[in-house]
Amino acid sequence: MAGADDLDGPDPAELDRATLARLVGHLARSGPSGYDTPCGAAQAPVMNRPGEELAARRGRLGDALAHHDTTPEFRFPATWWAADGSWLVLSDVDLSATEVFGATALIEALLADPELDAVRRPGIAETLGR
């Protein structure tokens, strides 16, 4: 069995560029402002040294790929969101997963995209059988 060091690909905590581009496209299509959607973003606290402040940034959804391409040591924000609250993306630092929260149409589009490896996570009420 191969270990994690034997795998080729992006850091498991980050989206590769192609996946990021597809996700950004879906997010852009899900709202009226498209690629001009104002967004906020923040790194995961574990990415900071002890005592460092957590930096949050503002920008446009359409700038996500440029940010990816120009950051020397790629560390895409672990948490990013539409300023209007229409969606939220959480990329785990210690797991190979990204969670997307948003309207039903957005989630259905992500699940239907053959280029994305997506699964629907049941809600708490579903898990508890309520």
Side-chain angles (χ1 to χ4, degrees):
M1 177 177 262
D5 293 338
D6 299 326
L7 299 175
D8 290 329
D11 181 317
E14 299 170 348
L15 295 169
D16 61 73
R17 190 181 195 287
T19 302
L20 177 62
R22 296 207 57 96
L23 176 56
V24 167
H26 283 287
L27 295 172
R29 287 187 293 280
S30 74
S33 299
Y35 289 98
D36 289 327
T37 299
C39 300
Q43 286 293 3
V46 297
M47 298 303 296
N48 291 22
R49 291 185 178 95
E52 276 185 340
E53 288 189 28
L54 182 63
R57 296 180 175 82
R58 293 181 186 165
R60 294 172 50 253
L61 177 59
D63 296 332
L65 289 175
H67 175 73
H68 174 281
D69 294 342
T70 60
T71 305
E73 286 190 24
F74 176 62
R75 288 286 174 205
F76 201 77
T79 305
W80 39 300
W81 59 92
D84 68 2
S86 60
W87 52 261
L88 169 71
V89 177
L90 301 173
S91 293
D92 295 325
V93 171
D94 57 348
L95 300 171
S96 181
T98 296
E99 296 178 293
V100 179
F101 302 86
T104 300
L106 168 62
I107 304 307
E108 288 175 353
L110 293 170
L111 291 169
D113 187 328
E115 298 295 318
L116 295 177
D117 184 15
V119 296
R120 184 181 169 279
R121 180 185 232 181
I124 294 171
E126 290 174 277
T127 303
L128 297 175
R130 296 181 186 167

